[in-house]
Amino acid sequence: MTTRKSWQSIHDELRRRIVDGIWQPGDLIPAEEQLAAEFQCARATVNRALRGLADSGLLNRRRRVGSRVATEPSRYATLKIDIIRLEVEQRGAKYRHALTERAQVLAPERVQYRMNLNDDTELLYICNLHMADDRPIIYEERWLNPVVLHGIFDVDFSAISVNEWLVRNVMFTRGDISFCATNLTEREAQLFAADLGEAAFVIERTTWQDEQCITSVRLLHEPGFSMRTELI
Amino acid sequence: MTTRKSWQSIHDELRRRIVDGIWQPGDLIPAEEQLAAEFQCARATVNRALRGLADSGLLNRRRRVGSRVATEPSRYATLKIDIIRLEVEQRGAKYRHALTERAQVLAPERVQYRMNLNDDTELLYICNLHMADDRPIIYEERWLNPVVLHGIFDVDFSAISVNEWLVRNVMFTRGDISFCATNLTEREAQLFAADLGEAAFVIERTTWQDEQCITSVRLLHEPGFSMRTELI
DNA sequence: ATTATAATTATGTATAGACATAACAAATGT
DNA sequence: ACATTTGTTATGTCTATACATAATTATAAT
């Protein structure tokens, strides 16, 4: 009967050795077999620990070669994409949204390109103002593809937000997201009761089901907004 | 002899059933034992597949209860934090950086708070302008804690960038990052040869070794910059 | 009726042993 | 000298079995 070691404790110990510099960046660490012998456990348990370290970018692993401490440990920031309503309610504010625009139109060329569409597909164009305690926080501008979203033109988006309807009704297989900064236009400034030209944070998100684009959205945040997360 | 199934193929098949709506959000899916029987494989293999689906937020798993399709599948955007030089070189541009400021000073209160420091610790304050093909792309403003970074005052940061020196010499145990937009000040606008008040994308990053703050940095990006990533 | 205790059950993780696979090294044939 | 084949090795994954753990349900004690 051998001592029972959890893969977590091995993970943590190996991580410590890397962080404390016992194993320097670039070093080849002992093979799974040897570590298993050291920790008195099965190789599979060491494997589980090493895989965790590789996932978080601390190790590079290659068959036949071994596990090497990453020379340039890549760090990742993981952002959780929530439904706006939940985000607002989680910080104890009252959520409300107002539909400001709704039209069946051809998308501008820039959007057609982003969504990989023909120039003859009419999209549902919807704009929404999201509010926390009646203060506008996000202006949402969205194009929806009726080819994928059957019956989308019949949905009453004053009752349920588009975001929420989508999350509940379709599942995307892939997506991309980009962040940038922009100067508020005259019209946008009015929405936020802000000044013309103020800097605002923008998220653009496009989601797909296999090769077909579902929707593309631009989320214009109120001036002063800051998005925070932990590094891993 | 049973058929050999990889956990990946099971993962993909189960994922398909969720995406295609065969298993609806909120549904309890068959137990590992049953799935193992269906796929003619060991329970451990099904477990590996289900763990993958849970990691990507598609399933909620609870002991004794089972695995449930997430009602509000949370999506994550993962951003890779690279060394700026590598980022520039990866897109085929020539990297250069210029040290614009270096001082041993008390940090402003706002920064002291962010770094959780006493108000009597003198920090190394360093500013750098990062360039791609001699065009300024990022203005880096950084405070370094000499309590953690012994001998930091003696390093020649015109030869190696602070970023790179840090990555190679200290490893952080945790960190936080935040994104926002700001209007360029007169001085900042000059750096980028841009107009006063133009919107710029800002990343603020603070890293720690256990309870001690290592460094806090503000990366001011050139106007028009956009950061993109895949959703997972 | 309420509370404490035990049984049950699905997931979580451990084990040893096996084979699969990728990458490198050595041996071989031309 | 070169390309091709063969062997070796560390990781990747699978199997079967076992025990651990958390959550729920059933049972017993008060």
Side-chain angles (χ1 to χ4, degrees), chain A residues 31-32 43 47 61-67:
Chain A
E32 293 186 351
R43 188 172 70 86
N47 182 286
R61 318 191 67 201
R62 287 177 73 202
R63 283 181 184 178
R64 168 68 226 268
V65 180
S67 301

PDB file of all heavy atoms in Angstrom, chain A residues 31-32 43 47 61-67, chain D residues 7-13 18-20:
ATOM      1  N   ALA A  31      11.503  13.485 -15.521  1.00  0.00           N
ATOM      2  CA  ALA A  31      10.427  12.836 -16.282  1.00  0.00           C
ATOM      3  C   ALA A  31       9.320  12.363 -15.338  1.00  0.00           C
ATOM      4  O   ALA A  31       9.535  12.219 -14.137  1.00  0.00           O
ATOM      5  CB  ALA A  31      10.984  11.657 -17.062  1.00  0.00           C
ATOM      6  N   GLU A  32       8.152  12.140 -15.892  1.00  0.00           N
ATOM      7  CA  GLU A  32       6.988  11.712 -15.111  1.00  0.00           C
ATOM      8  C   GLU A  32       7.330  10.518 -14.224  1.00  0.00           C
ATOM      9  O   GLU A  32       6.979  10.476 -13.050  1.00  0.00           O
ATOM     10  CB  GLU A  32       5.837  11.353 -16.040  1.00  0.00           C
ATOM     11  CG  GLU A  32       5.262  12.536 -16.795  1.00  0.00           C
ATOM     12  CD  GLU A  32       4.028  12.150 -17.594  1.00  0.00           C
ATOM     13  OE1 GLU A  32       3.739  10.950 -17.695  1.00  0.00           O
ATOM     14  OE2 GLU A  32       3.354  13.058 -18.101  1.00  0.00           O
ATOM     15  N   ARG A  43       2.214   7.247 -12.206  1.00  0.00           N
ATOM     16  CA  ARG A  43       2.633   8.215 -13.224  1.00  0.00           C
ATOM     17  C   ARG A  43       1.457   9.067 -13.686  1.00  0.00           C
ATOM     18  O   ARG A  43       1.610  10.255 -13.943  1.00  0.00           O
ATOM     19  CB  ARG A  43       3.255   7.489 -14.432  1.00  0.00           C
ATOM     20  CG  ARG A  43       3.876   8.423 -15.435  1.00  0.00           C
ATOM     21  CD  ARG A  43       4.651   7.665 -16.505  1.00  0.00           C
ATOM     22  NE  ARG A  43       3.790   6.928 -17.414  1.00  0.00           N
ATOM     23  CZ  ARG A  43       3.233   7.448 -18.515  1.00  0.00           C
ATOM     24  NH1 ARG A  43       3.433   8.714 -18.817  1.00  0.00           N
ATOM     25  NH2 ARG A  43       2.486   6.720 -19.287  1.00  0.00           N
ATOM     26  N   ASN A  47       1.191  13.007 -14.239  1.00  0.00           N
ATOM     27  CA  ASN A  47       0.744  13.499 -15.537  1.00  0.00           C
ATOM     28  C   ASN A  47      -0.347  14.549 -15.373  1.00  0.00           C
ATOM     29  O   ASN A  47      -0.306  15.605 -16.000  1.00  0.00           O
ATOM     30  CB  ASN A  47       0.231  12.329 -16.377  1.00  0.00           C
ATOM     31  CG  ASN A  47      -0.206  12.751 -17.758  1.00  0.00           C
ATOM     32  OD1 ASN A  47      -1.259  13.356 -17.914  1.00  0.00           O
ATOM     33  ND2 ASN A  47       0.605  12.468 -18.764  1.00  0.00           N
ATOM     34  N   ARG A  61       5.534  21.021 -22.771  1.00  0.00           N
ATOM     35  CA  ARG A  61       5.745  19.579 -22.773  1.00  0.00           C
ATOM     36  C   ARG A  61       5.817  19.056 -24.198  1.00  0.00           C
ATOM     37  O   ARG A  61       5.061  19.482 -25.071  1.00  0.00           O
ATOM     38  CB  ARG A  61       4.596  18.869 -22.041  1.00  0.00           C
ATOM     39  CG  ARG A  61       4.165  19.563 -20.771  1.00  0.00           C
ATOM     40  CD  ARG A  61       3.245  18.691 -19.964  1.00  0.00           C
ATOM     41  NE  ARG A  61       3.985  17.535 -19.476  1.00  0.00           N
ATOM     42  CZ  ARG A  61       3.425  16.399 -19.080  1.00  0.00           C
ATOM     43  NH1 ARG A  61       2.125  16.264 -19.144  1.00  0.00           N
ATOM     44  NH2 ARG A  61       4.165  15.414 -18.636  1.00  0.00           N
ATOM     45  N   ARG A  62       6.751  18.148 -24.427  1.00  0.00           N
ATOM     46  CA  ARG A  62       6.861  17.515 -25.749  1.00  0.00           C
ATOM     47  C   ARG A  62       7.164  16.042 -25.564  1.00  0.00           C
ATOM     48  O   ARG A  62       7.977  15.666 -24.726  1.00  0.00           O
ATOM     49  CB  ARG A  62       7.957  18.175 -26.589  1.00  0.00           C
ATOM     50  CG  ARG A  62       7.544  19.570 -27.084  1.00  0.00           C
ATOM     51  CD  ARG A  62       8.677  20.205 -27.844  1.00  0.00           C
ATOM     52  NE  ARG A  62       8.865  19.593 -29.166  1.00  0.00           N
ATOM     53  CZ  ARG A  62      10.006  19.655 -29.857  1.00  0.00           C
ATOM     54  NH1 ARG A  62      11.040  20.271 -29.347  1.00  0.00           N
ATOM     55  NH2 ARG A  62      10.089  19.101 -31.052  1.00  0.00           N
ATOM     56  N   ARG A  63       6.522  15.237 -26.383  1.00  0.00           N
ATOM     57  CA  ARG A  63       6.762  13.807 -26.322  1.00  0.00           C
ATOM     58  C   ARG A  63       8.214  13.508 -26.645  1.00  0.00           C
ATOM     59  O   ARG A  63       8.819  14.176 -27.448  1.00  0.00           O
ATOM     60  CB  ARG A  63       5.867  13.088 -27.343  1.00  0.00           C
ATOM     61  CG  ARG A  63       4.465  12.975 -26.874  1.00  0.00           C
ATOM     62  CD  ARG A  63       3.594  12.260 -27.869  1.00  0.00           C
ATOM     63  NE  ARG A  63       2.218  12.259 -27.401  1.00  0.00           N
ATOM     64  CZ  ARG A  63       1.210  11.740 -28.082  1.00  0.00           C
ATOM     65  NH1 ARG A  63       1.410  11.203 -29.236  1.00  0.00           N
ATOM     66  NH2 ARG A  63      -0.011  11.796 -27.590  1.00  0.00           N
ATOM     67  N   ARG A  64       8.682  12.486 -26.045  1.00  0.00           N
ATOM     68  CA  ARG A  64      10.042  11.975 -26.255  1.00  0.00           C
ATOM     69  C   ARG A  64      11.090  12.942 -25.665  1.00  0.00           C
ATOM     70  O   ARG A  64      12.222  12.565 -25.431  1.00  0.00           O
ATOM     71  CB  ARG A  64      10.290  11.745 -27.770  1.00  0.00           C
ATOM     72  CG  ARG A  64      11.726  11.481 -28.202  1.00  0.00           C
ATOM     73  CD  ARG A  64      12.167  10.127 -27.667  1.00  0.00           C
ATOM     74  NE  ARG A  64      13.466  10.230 -27.076  1.00  0.00           N
ATOM     75  CZ  ARG A  64      14.619  10.013 -27.692  1.00  0.00           C
ATOM     76  NH1 ARG A  64      14.616   9.635 -28.932  1.00  0.00           N
ATOM     77  NH2 ARG A  64      15.761  10.131 -27.073  1.00  0.00           N
ATOM     78  N   VAL A  65      10.706  14.207 -25.471  1.00  0.00           N
ATOM     79  CA  VAL A  65      11.667  15.228 -25.059  1.00  0.00           C
ATOM     80  C   VAL A  65      11.568  15.490 -23.560  1.00  0.00           C
ATOM     81  O   VAL A  65      12.580  15.466 -22.851  1.00  0.00           O
ATOM     82  CB  VAL A  65      11.428  16.555 -25.825  1.00  0.00           C
ATOM     83  CG1 VAL A  65      12.420  17.614 -25.392  1.00  0.00           C
ATOM     84  CG2 VAL A  65      11.497  16.308 -27.320  1.00  0.00           C
ATOM     85  N   GLY A  66      10.347  15.718 -23.076  1.00  0.00           N
ATOM     86  CA  GLY A  66      10.170  15.996 -21.655  1.00  0.00           C
ATOM     87  C   GLY A  66       9.450  17.309 -21.395  1.00  0.00           C
ATOM     88  O   GLY A  66       8.917  17.928 -22.311  1.00  0.00           O
ATOM     89  N   SER A  67       9.450  17.724 -20.138  1.00  0.00           N
ATOM     90  CA  SER A  67       8.776  18.966 -19.751  1.00  0.00           C
ATOM     91  C   SER A  67       9.819  20.009 -19.399  1.00  0.00           C
ATOM     92  O   SER A  67      10.717  19.766 -18.601  1.00  0.00           O
ATOM     93  CB  SER A  67       7.877  18.710 -18.541  1.00  0.00           C
ATOM     94  OG  SER A  67       6.924  17.716 -18.848  1.00  0.00           O
TER      95      SER A  67
ATOM     96  P    DG D   7      13.875  -2.671 -35.211  1.00  0.00           P
ATOM     97  OP1  DG D   7      14.433  -4.013 -34.952  1.00  0.00           O
ATOM     98  OP2  DG D   7      12.417  -2.496 -35.382  1.00  0.00           O
ATOM     99  O5'  DG D   7      14.383  -1.700 -34.065  1.00  0.00           O
ATOM    100  C5'  DG D   7      15.791  -1.531 -33.863  1.00  0.00           C
ATOM    101  C4'  DG D   7      16.040  -0.447 -32.837  1.00  0.00           C
ATOM    102  O4'  DG D   7      15.614   0.837 -33.362  1.00  0.00           O
ATOM    103  C3'  DG D   7      15.297  -0.647 -31.511  1.00  0.00           C
ATOM    104  O3'  DG D   7      16.233  -0.506 -30.453  1.00  0.00           O
ATOM    105  C2'  DG D   7      14.250   0.468 -31.509  1.00  0.00           C
ATOM    106  C1'  DG D   7      14.894   1.541 -32.369  1.00  0.00           C
ATOM    107  N9   DG D   7      13.964   2.439 -33.066  1.00  0.00           N
ATOM    108  C8   DG D   7      12.990   2.098 -33.963  1.00  0.00           C
ATOM    109  N7   DG D   7      12.335   3.118 -34.446  1.00  0.00           N
ATOM    110  C5   DG D   7      12.915   4.207 -33.815  1.00  0.00           C
ATOM    111  C6   DG D   7      12.629   5.600 -33.929  1.00  0.00           C
ATOM    112  O6   DG D   7      11.778   6.149 -34.642  1.00  0.00           O
ATOM    113  N1   DG D   7      13.459   6.366 -33.117  1.00  0.00           N
ATOM    114  C2   DG D   7      14.435   5.868 -32.294  1.00  0.00           C
ATOM    115  N2   DG D   7      15.115   6.755 -31.587  1.00  0.00           N
ATOM    116  N3   DG D   7      14.722   4.572 -32.178  1.00  0.00           N
ATOM    117  C4   DG D   7      13.920   3.808 -32.963  1.00  0.00           C
ATOM    118  P    DT D   8      15.864  -0.812 -28.990  1.00  0.00           P
ATOM    119  OP1  DT D   8      17.021  -1.442 -28.331  1.00  0.00           O
ATOM    120  OP2  DT D   8      14.537  -1.476 -28.990  1.00  0.00           O
ATOM    121  O5'  DT D   8      15.698   0.646 -28.394  1.00  0.00           O
ATOM    122  C5'  DT D   8      16.745   1.601 -28.597  1.00  0.00           C
ATOM    123  C4'  DT D   8      16.338   2.939 -28.018  1.00  0.00           C
ATOM    124  O4'  DT D   8      15.394   3.598 -28.901  1.00  0.00           O
ATOM    125  C3'  DT D   8      15.654   2.868 -26.642  1.00  0.00           C
ATOM    126  O3'  DT D   8      16.265   3.843 -25.814  1.00  0.00           O
ATOM    127  C2'  DT D   8      14.198   3.189 -26.952  1.00  0.00           C
ATOM    128  C1'  DT D   8      14.329   4.124 -28.151  1.00  0.00           C
ATOM    129  N1   DT D   8      13.161   4.228 -29.077  1.00  0.00           N
ATOM    130  C2   DT D   8      12.761   5.473 -29.482  1.00  0.00           C
ATOM    131  O2   DT D   8      13.285   6.503 -29.097  1.00  0.00           O
ATOM    132  N3   DT D   8      11.697   5.490 -30.353  1.00  0.00           N
ATOM    133  C4   DT D   8      11.018   4.391 -30.854  1.00  0.00           C
ATOM    134  O4   DT D   8      10.101   4.527 -31.638  1.00  0.00           O
ATOM    135  C5   DT D   8      11.491   3.119 -30.389  1.00  0.00           C
ATOM    136  C7   DT D   8      10.823   1.856 -30.865  1.00  0.00           C
ATOM    137  C6   DT D   8      12.532   3.093 -29.530  1.00  0.00           C
ATOM    138  P    DT D   9      16.062   3.768 -24.252  1.00  0.00           P
ATOM    139  OP1  DT D   9      17.348   4.081 -23.610  1.00  0.00           O
ATOM    140  OP2  DT D   9      15.327   2.530 -23.920  1.00  0.00           O
ATOM    141  O5'  DT D   9      15.089   4.999 -24.020  1.00  0.00           O
ATOM    142  C5'  DT D   9      15.489   6.296 -24.453  1.00  0.00           C
ATOM    143  C4'  DT D   9      14.302   7.241 -24.413  1.00  0.00           C
ATOM    144  O4'  DT D   9      13.413   6.958 -25.520  1.00  0.00           O
ATOM    145  C3'  DT D   9      13.450   7.133 -23.143  1.00  0.00           C
ATOM    146  O3'  DT D   9      13.216   8.434 -22.653  1.00  0.00           O
ATOM    147  C2'  DT D   9      12.158   6.504 -23.632  1.00  0.00           C
ATOM    148  C1'  DT D   9      12.094   7.068 -25.045  1.00  0.00           C
ATOM    149  N1   DT D   9      11.206   6.342 -26.002  1.00  0.00           N
ATOM    150  C2   DT D   9      10.495   7.094 -26.908  1.00  0.00           C
ATOM    151  O2   DT D   9      10.571   8.304 -26.968  1.00  0.00           O
ATOM    152  N3   DT D   9       9.707   6.362 -27.757  1.00  0.00           N
ATOM    153  C4   DT D   9       9.528   4.982 -27.770  1.00  0.00           C
ATOM    154  O4   DT D   9       8.795   4.452 -28.569  1.00  0.00           O
ATOM    155  C5   DT D   9      10.317   4.268 -26.784  1.00  0.00           C
ATOM    156  C7   DT D   9      10.214   2.781 -26.726  1.00  0.00           C
ATOM    157  C6   DT D   9      11.099   4.970 -25.945  1.00  0.00           C
ATOM    158  P    DA D  10      13.152   8.685 -21.099  1.00  0.00           P
ATOM    159  OP1  DA D  10      14.442   9.237 -20.640  1.00  0.00           O
ATOM    160  OP2  DA D  10      12.606   7.465 -20.495  1.00  0.00           O
ATOM    161  O5'  DA D  10      12.049   9.819 -20.992  1.00  0.00           O
ATOM    162  C5'  DA D  10      12.184  11.027 -21.760  1.00  0.00           C
ATOM    163  C4'  DA D  10      10.807  11.611 -22.007  1.00  0.00           C
ATOM    164  O4'  DA D  10      10.191  10.855 -23.065  1.00  0.00           O
ATOM    165  C3'  DA D  10       9.862  11.550 -20.809  1.00  0.00           C
ATOM    166  O3'  DA D  10       9.305  12.824 -20.557  1.00  0.00           O
ATOM    167  C2'  DA D  10       8.825  10.513 -21.178  1.00  0.00           C
ATOM    168  C1'  DA D  10       8.875  10.509 -22.699  1.00  0.00           C
ATOM    169  N9   DA D  10       8.599   9.189 -23.274  1.00  0.00           N
ATOM    170  C8   DA D  10       9.039   7.983 -22.819  1.00  0.00           C
ATOM    171  N7   DA D  10       8.620   6.960 -23.522  1.00  0.00           N
ATOM    172  C5   DA D  10       7.836   7.536 -24.500  1.00  0.00           C
ATOM    173  C6   DA D  10       7.100   6.993 -25.562  1.00  0.00           C
ATOM    174  N6   DA D  10       7.026   5.689 -25.818  1.00  0.00           N
ATOM    175  N1   DA D  10       6.444   7.847 -26.360  1.00  0.00           N
ATOM    176  C2   DA D  10       6.511   9.157 -26.104  1.00  0.00           C
ATOM    177  N3   DA D  10       7.170   9.793 -25.137  1.00  0.00           N
ATOM    178  C4   DA D  10       7.819   8.917 -24.363  1.00  0.00           C
ATOM    179  P    DT D  11       8.121  13.042 -19.566  1.00  0.00           P
ATOM    180  OP1  DT D  11       8.297  14.365 -18.963  1.00  0.00           O
ATOM    181  OP2  DT D  11       7.983  11.857 -18.721  1.00  0.00           O
ATOM    182  O5'  DT D  11       6.875  13.108 -20.545  1.00  0.00           O
ATOM    183  C5'  DT D  11       6.818  14.125 -21.528  1.00  0.00           C
ATOM    184  C4'  DT D  11       5.699  13.852 -22.512  1.00  0.00           C
ATOM    185  O4'  DT D  11       5.777  12.499 -23.001  1.00  0.00           O
ATOM    186  C3'  DT D  11       4.295  14.017 -21.928  1.00  0.00           C
ATOM    187  O3'  DT D  11       3.538  14.790 -22.861  1.00  0.00           O
ATOM    188  C2'  DT D  11       3.783  12.587 -21.811  1.00  0.00           C
ATOM    189  C1'  DT D  11       4.498  11.918 -22.969  1.00  0.00           C
ATOM    190  N1   DT D  11       4.657  10.446 -22.852  1.00  0.00           N
ATOM    191  C2   DT D  11       4.124   9.646 -23.830  1.00  0.00           C
ATOM    192  O2   DT D  11       3.519  10.088 -24.790  1.00  0.00           O
ATOM    193  N3   DT D  11       4.328   8.302 -23.649  1.00  0.00           N
ATOM    194  C4   DT D  11       4.995   7.694 -22.603  1.00  0.00           C
ATOM    195  O4   DT D  11       5.115   6.469 -22.548  1.00  0.00           O
ATOM    196  C5   DT D  11       5.518   8.588 -21.610  1.00  0.00           C
ATOM    197  C7   DT D  11       6.274   8.035 -20.426  1.00  0.00           C
ATOM    198  C6   DT D  11       5.333   9.901 -21.775  1.00  0.00           C
ATOM    199  P    DG D  12       2.026  15.169 -22.546  1.00  0.00           P
ATOM    200  OP1  DG D  12       1.712  16.411 -23.257  1.00  0.00           O
ATOM    201  OP2  DG D  12       1.839  15.050 -21.092  1.00  0.00           O
ATOM    202  O5'  DG D  12       1.222  13.979 -23.232  1.00  0.00           O
ATOM    203  C5'  DG D  12       0.994  14.002 -24.644  1.00  0.00           C
ATOM    204  C4'  DG D  12      -0.085  12.997 -24.993  1.00  0.00           C
ATOM    205  O4'  DG D  12       0.424  11.660 -24.801  1.00  0.00           O
ATOM    206  C3'  DG D  12      -1.336  13.103 -24.127  1.00  0.00           C
ATOM    207  O3'  DG D  12      -2.477  13.130 -24.980  1.00  0.00           O
ATOM    208  C2'  DG D  12      -1.303  11.862 -23.246  1.00  0.00           C
ATOM    209  C1'  DG D  12      -0.528  10.881 -24.123  1.00  0.00           C
ATOM    210  N9   DG D  12       0.204   9.869 -23.370  1.00  0.00           N
ATOM    211  C8   DG D  12       1.069  10.072 -22.326  1.00  0.00           C
ATOM    212  N7   DG D  12       1.573   8.956 -21.856  1.00  0.00           N
ATOM    213  C5   DG D  12       0.998   7.958 -22.629  1.00  0.00           C
ATOM    214  C6   DG D  12       1.164   6.550 -22.584  1.00  0.00           C
ATOM    215  O6   DG D  12       1.864   5.892 -21.825  1.00  0.00           O
ATOM    216  N1   DG D  12       0.398   5.921 -23.562  1.00  0.00           N
ATOM    217  C2   DG D  12      -0.422   6.558 -24.461  1.00  0.00           C
ATOM    218  N2   DG D  12      -1.082   5.795 -25.323  1.00  0.00           N
ATOM    219  N3   DG D  12      -0.580   7.876 -24.515  1.00  0.00           N
ATOM    220  C4   DG D  12       0.157   8.507 -23.569  1.00  0.00           C
ATOM    221  P    DT D  13      -3.917  13.415 -24.348  1.00  0.00           P
ATOM    222  OP1  DT D  13      -4.709  14.062 -25.400  1.00  0.00           O
ATOM    223  OP2  DT D  13      -3.805  14.012 -23.003  1.00  0.00           O
ATOM    224  O5'  DT D  13      -4.458  11.930 -24.175  1.00  0.00           O
ATOM    225  C5'  DT D  13      -4.533  11.085 -25.325  1.00  0.00           C
ATOM    226  C4'  DT D  13      -4.809   9.683 -24.894  1.00  0.00           C
ATOM    227  O4'  DT D  13      -3.721   9.169 -24.098  1.00  0.00           O
ATOM    228  C3'  DT D  13      -6.054   9.519 -24.019  1.00  0.00           C
ATOM    229  O3'  DT D  13      -7.007   8.826 -24.773  1.00  0.00           O
ATOM    230  C2'  DT D  13      -5.575   8.690 -22.813  1.00  0.00           C
ATOM    231  C1'  DT D  13      -4.254   8.148 -23.303  1.00  0.00           C
ATOM    232  N1   DT D  13      -3.265   7.818 -22.254  1.00  0.00           N
ATOM    233  C2   DT D  13      -2.884   6.516 -22.114  1.00  0.00           C
ATOM    234  O2   DT D  13      -3.319   5.624 -22.812  1.00  0.00           O
ATOM    235  N3   DT D  13      -1.960   6.289 -21.121  1.00  0.00           N
ATOM    236  C4   DT D  13      -1.401   7.225 -20.274  1.00  0.00           C
ATOM    237  O4   DT D  13      -0.591   6.910 -19.411  1.00  0.00           O
ATOM    238  C5   DT D  13      -1.857   8.588 -20.465  1.00  0.00           C
ATOM    239  C7   DT D  13      -1.315   9.688 -19.610  1.00  0.00           C
ATOM    240  C6   DT D  13      -2.757   8.815 -21.443  1.00  0.00           C
ATOM    241  P    DA D  18     -12.064  -4.263  -7.282  1.00  0.00           P
ATOM    242  OP1  DA D  18     -11.677  -5.518  -6.616  1.00  0.00           O
ATOM    243  OP2  DA D  18     -13.465  -4.031  -7.685  1.00  0.00           O
ATOM    244  O5'  DA D  18     -11.620  -3.040  -6.368  1.00  0.00           O
ATOM    245  C5'  DA D  18     -10.223  -2.794  -6.126  1.00  0.00           C
ATOM    246  C4'  DA D  18     -10.073  -1.403  -5.534  1.00  0.00           C
ATOM    247  O4'  DA D  18     -10.303  -0.434  -6.567  1.00  0.00           O
ATOM    248  C3'  DA D  18     -11.078  -1.099  -4.424  1.00  0.00           C
ATOM    249  O3'  DA D  18     -10.385  -1.003  -3.188  1.00  0.00           O
ATOM    250  C2'  DA D  18     -11.711   0.223  -4.827  1.00  0.00           C
ATOM    251  C1'  DA D  18     -10.852   0.719  -5.972  1.00  0.00           C
ATOM    252  N9   DA D  18     -11.586   1.438  -7.019  1.00  0.00           N
ATOM    253  C8   DA D  18     -12.556   0.937  -7.847  1.00  0.00           C
ATOM    254  N7   DA D  18     -13.038   1.825  -8.687  1.00  0.00           N
ATOM    255  C5   DA D  18     -12.343   2.989  -8.382  1.00  0.00           C
ATOM    256  C6   DA D  18     -12.395   4.288  -8.907  1.00  0.00           C
ATOM    257  N6   DA D  18     -13.213   4.651  -9.910  1.00  0.00           N
ATOM    258  N1   DA D  18     -11.568   5.221  -8.375  1.00  0.00           N
ATOM    259  C2   DA D  18     -10.752   4.860  -7.389  1.00  0.00           C
ATOM    260  N3   DA D  18     -10.613   3.666  -6.807  1.00  0.00           N
ATOM    261  C4   DA D  18     -11.444   2.770  -7.355  1.00  0.00           C
ATOM    262  P    DC D  19     -11.207  -0.995  -1.805  1.00  0.00           P
ATOM    263  OP1  DC D  19     -10.400  -1.766  -0.852  1.00  0.00           O
ATOM    264  OP2  DC D  19     -12.616  -1.337  -2.069  1.00  0.00           O
ATOM    265  O5'  DC D  19     -11.151   0.537  -1.388  1.00  0.00           O
ATOM    266  C5'  DC D  19      -9.899   1.215  -1.410  1.00  0.00           C
ATOM    267  C4'  DC D  19     -10.142   2.700  -1.556  1.00  0.00           C
ATOM    268  O4'  DC D  19     -10.784   2.984  -2.814  1.00  0.00           O
ATOM    269  C3'  DC D  19     -11.053   3.307  -0.471  1.00  0.00           C
ATOM    270  O3'  DC D  19     -10.354   4.399   0.101  1.00  0.00           O
ATOM    271  C2'  DC D  19     -12.281   3.753  -1.244  1.00  0.00           C
ATOM    272  C1'  DC D  19     -11.673   4.053  -2.612  1.00  0.00           C
ATOM    273  N1   DC D  19     -12.626   4.110  -3.750  1.00  0.00           N
ATOM    274  C2   DC D  19     -12.693   5.277  -4.528  1.00  0.00           C
ATOM    275  O2   DC D  19     -11.952   6.229  -4.243  1.00  0.00           O
ATOM    276  N3   DC D  19     -13.566   5.338  -5.569  1.00  0.00           N
ATOM    277  C4   DC D  19     -14.357   4.300  -5.838  1.00  0.00           C
ATOM    278  N4   DC D  19     -15.185   4.409  -6.875  1.00  0.00           N
ATOM    279  C5   DC D  19     -14.308   3.102  -5.060  1.00  0.00           C
ATOM    280  C6   DC D  19     -13.445   3.049  -4.036  1.00  0.00           C
ATOM    281  P    DA D  20     -10.982   5.267   1.260  1.00  0.00           P
ATOM    282  OP1  DA D  20      -9.896   5.525   2.224  1.00  0.00           O
ATOM    283  OP2  DA D  20     -12.248   4.636   1.701  1.00  0.00           O
ATOM    284  O5'  DA D  20     -11.333   6.625   0.516  1.00  0.00           O
ATOM    285  C5'  DA D  20     -10.357   7.243  -0.336  1.00  0.00           C
ATOM    286  C4'  DA D  20     -10.798   8.662  -0.650  1.00  0.00           C
ATOM    287  O4'  DA D  20     -11.678   8.654  -1.801  1.00  0.00           O
ATOM    288  C3'  DA D  20     -11.560   9.380   0.456  1.00  0.00           C
ATOM    289  O3'  DA D  20     -11.200  10.762   0.412  1.00  0.00           O
ATOM    290  C2'  DA D  20     -13.019   9.148   0.086  1.00  0.00           C
ATOM    291  C1'  DA D  20     -12.964   9.132  -1.442  1.00  0.00           C
ATOM    292  N9   DA D  20     -13.925   8.251  -2.104  1.00  0.00           N
ATOM    293  C8   DA D  20     -14.147   6.927  -1.854  1.00  0.00           C
ATOM    294  N7   DA D  20     -15.047   6.385  -2.640  1.00  0.00           N
ATOM    295  C5   DA D  20     -15.440   7.421  -3.464  1.00  0.00           C
ATOM    296  C6   DA D  20     -16.375   7.500  -4.516  1.00  0.00           C
ATOM    297  N6   DA D  20     -17.103   6.464  -4.952  1.00  0.00           N
ATOM    298  N1   DA D  20     -16.536   8.685  -5.132  1.00  0.00           N
ATOM    299  C2   DA D  20     -15.810   9.725  -4.720  1.00  0.00           C
ATOM    300  N3   DA D  20     -14.906   9.776  -3.743  1.00  0.00           N
ATOM    301  C4   DA D  20     -14.762   8.575  -3.145  1.00  0.00           C
TER     302       DA D  20
END
